[in-house]
Amino acid sequence: KAWNVLALDGSNWQRIDLFDFQRDIEGRVVENISKRCGGFLRKLSLRGCLGVGDNALRTFAQNCRNIEVLNLNGCTKITDATCTSLSKFCSKLRHLDLASCTSITNLSLKALSEGCPLLEQLNISWCDQVTKDGIQALVRGCGGLKALFLKGCTQLEDEALKYIGAHCPELVTLNLQTCLQVTDDGLITICRGCHKLQSLCASGCSNITDAILNALGQNCPRLRILEVARCSQLTDVGFTTLARNCHELEKMDLEECVQITDSTLIQLSIHCPRLQVLSLSHCELITDDGIRHLGNGACAHDRLEVIELDNCPLITDASLEHLKSCHSLERIELYDCQQITRAGIKRLRTHLPNIKVHAYFAPVTPPPSVGGSRQRFCRCCIIL
């Protein structure tokens, strides 16, 4: 009985994560939890709970008015009505995740702006009905936003970014992945208005140029994470400016930045001593010399943990020799680096026994044909 009393005491249920039970969670479960926990509940995750809809969340909002962190990622039944309820009853809300809630529109952002002024983190990734009007309404009432995830919001354009830059000086994290209409104009406004920016993802924003890297270097010295995969207009010139001004960089995703050469790696090795993760996959102009500079750089000995070099055809076993001094290196990706050999990988592992290497062996040279037939050889995946 004593255990039962404790189990039903709402004060013991301040944080609840129902992700492991997502398939079994229906609206009535959420309603019962809200009645049991009441004002004690501070953090709730319903990520992936497809059975939860607007009615249950209205009851939840009415009962749990002190909620601060709410994760509704993938709760595809919910609509703008849920955000209206949160706006009306949950004024202390700080973190809200609505990713993949595809029925969410500008009306939700307007409601949050009016009723949740303390909002610091909002994820509306893949809510592709949201436009600049919704962003404008949101930032006018939630100027304290520190993290904004807009991945896959394909209707957003530069005008939306200008509102963010003008009203969100505290912004630290911004994700714009696959926001295809974004150009230099919008992102430059972000850089000029959000000097505290530490993490920017613009992967897939193929219209951006070196002007963005220059603006980041001039305005955002605290930048730690930059993801610009598939931004093929970026060059060594822009990354040189960035590296010389943003010395706190820790993670860079430069996959398919096809114009960069060893020059970028030289600048990173000199100016970015905190670099931990670097993706150079499909950067086909990178050579062993660039990896040599990286292996001798300030980050090499005790910082660099991951380097991805998939589809870098000029990389050879010599690069692996240059990385032997990177004692913190945990993983290296070498898929389709056809000049990398099994012997080179084994030599690397003698110096770094705990490293994980993902690679294809170079193709085996087939023997000459005998009697008009030729044996077929294929490449094999090695994960060590």
Side-chain angles (χ1 to χ4, degrees):
K1 289 182 179 180
W3 279 110
N4 187 52
V5 170
L6 289 173
L8 299 180
D9 186 343
S11 64
N12 290 323
W13 295 84
Q14 297 183 38
R15 300 175 184 85
I16 301 175
D17 187 343
L18 298 176
F19 177 68
D20 290 339
F21 313 99
Q22 54 177 301
R23 294 182 180 177
D24 303 317
I25 300 301
E26 298 178 353
R28 58 181 179 80
V29 175
V30 176
E31 293 178 14
N32 290 337
I33 286 175
S34 71
K35 293 172 184 177
R36 181 79 64 191
C37 301
F40 291 109
L41 190 61
R42 297 290 189 277
K43 181 178 180 180
L44 174 66
S45 176
L46 297 172
R47 182 164 62 101
C49 295
L50 301 179
V52 177
D54 292 329
N55 291 336
L57 286 166
R58 178 176 177 80
T59 301
F60 164 81
Q62 291 174 328
N63 291 320
C64 301
R65 303 191 181 204
N66 291 320
I67 192 73
E68 296 177 2
V69 179
L70 181 59
N71 188 340
L72 301 176
N73 188 321
C75 297
T76 53
K77 279 188 176 182
I78 70 170
T79 71
D80 293 329
T82 286
C83 288
T84 300
S85 298
L86 295 173
S87 172
K88 186 174 181 179
F89 301 110
C90 303
S91 61
K92 297 182 180 179
L93 193 62
R94 294 181 181 274
H95 293 189
L96 178 61
D97 191 338
L98 297 169
S100 300
C101 298
T102 53
S103 295
I104 294 299
T105 74
N106 293 337
L107 294 176
S108 286
L109 302 191
K110 184 175 184 295
L112 293 172
S113 174
E114 293 171 351
C116 303
L118 302 181
L119 200 63
E120 295 179 355
Q121 179 172 310
L122 178 64
N123 188 346
I124 51 171
S125 296
W126 309 114
C127 297
D128 54 8
Q129 296 190 60
V130 170
T131 71
K132 60 182 175 62
D133 295 333
I135 298 297
Q136 180 183 25
L138 174 72
V139 299
R140 284 183 173 173
C142 301
L145 278 169
K146 295 181 179 179
L148 191 53
F149 299 88
L150 305 173
K151 180 179 179 180
C153 293
T154 52
Q155 293 198 58
L156 295 185
E157 50 198 17
D158 289 337
E159 198 69 25
L161 302 192
K162 291 177 181 179
Y163 294 136
I164 296 170
H167 295 279
C168 300
E170 302 299 316
L171 196 68
V172 173
T173 300
L174 179 62
N175 189 320
L176 298 168
Q177 183 174 337
T178 63
C179 292
L180 303 178
Q181 299 188 59
V182 167
T183 73
D184 291 344
D185 288 344
L187 271 172
I188 288 173
T189 305
I190 292 288
C191 296
R192 291 174 177 171
C194 307
H195 298 291
K196 296 182 180 180
L197 196 66
Q198 295 182 21
S199 176
L200 174 64
C201 177
S203 293
C205 299
S206 56
N207 293 318
I208 65 175
T209 72
D210 284 343
I212 297 306
L213 302 180
N214 294 333
L216 285 168
Q218 293 167 8
N219 296 281
C220 304
R222 301 182 189 179
L223 193 68
R224 294 188 301 108
I225 299 173
L226 178 64
E227 300 177 20
V228 286
R230 305 181 302 284
C231 296
S232 58
Q233 298 189 61
L234 303 181
T235 74
D236 292 331
V237 175
F239 284 112
T240 295
T241 300
L242 182 78
R244 290 178 176 176
N245 292 279
C246 298
H247 306 303
E248 298 183 17
L249 281 166
E250 296 176 1
K251 177 183 177 181
M252 297 185 71
D253 184 353
L254 311 184
E255 181 174 346
E256 292 188 41
C257 291
V258 293
Q259 295 195 55
I260 66 171
T261 70
D262 293 339
S263 177
T264 289
L265 298 193
I266 292 171
Q267 296 301 320
L268 293 177
S269 68
I270 296 171
H271 301 291
C272 301
R274 299 186 180 184
L275 196 61
Q276 298 175 18
V277 179
L278 179 62
S279 177
L280 299 166
S281 297
H282 296 272
C283 296
E284 298 185 356
L285 302 179
I286 298 296
T287 74
D288 294 332
D289 191 55
I291 302 301
R292 177 176 65 83
H293 282 90
L294 194 65
N296 293 328
C299 67
H301 296 290
D302 56 2
R303 290 282 186 171
L304 193 62
E305 298 176 358
V306 176
I307 183 166
E308 299 177 355
L309 296 167
D310 300 335
N311 293 93
C312 292
L314 303 181
I315 296 297
T316 73
D317 286 349
S319 285
L320 304 187
E321 295 293 321
H322 299 320
L323 294 172
K324 286 181 178 178
S325 60
C326 301
H327 302 300
S328 296
L329 200 60
E330 298 175 357
R331 177 168 60 86
I332 182 169
E333 302 279 345
L334 296 164
Y335 290 119
D336 280 330
C337 294
Q338 297 187 21
Q339 298 192 65
I340 297 293
T341 68
R342 180 198 290 265
I345 292 172
K346 286 188 173 181
R347 286 194 296 271
L348 177 66
R349 282 179 56 80
T350 60
H351 292 267
L352 304 172
N354 296 321
I355 193 173
K356 292 182 179 179
V357 181
H358 298 176
Y360 281 122
F361 290 126
V364 178
T365 303
S369 59
V370 178
S373 63
R374 182 183 296 271
Q375 185 176 357
R376 293 178 177 271
F377 284 78
C378 66
R379 288 176 291 151
C380 301
C381 176
I382 176 173
I383 301 178
L384 297 176

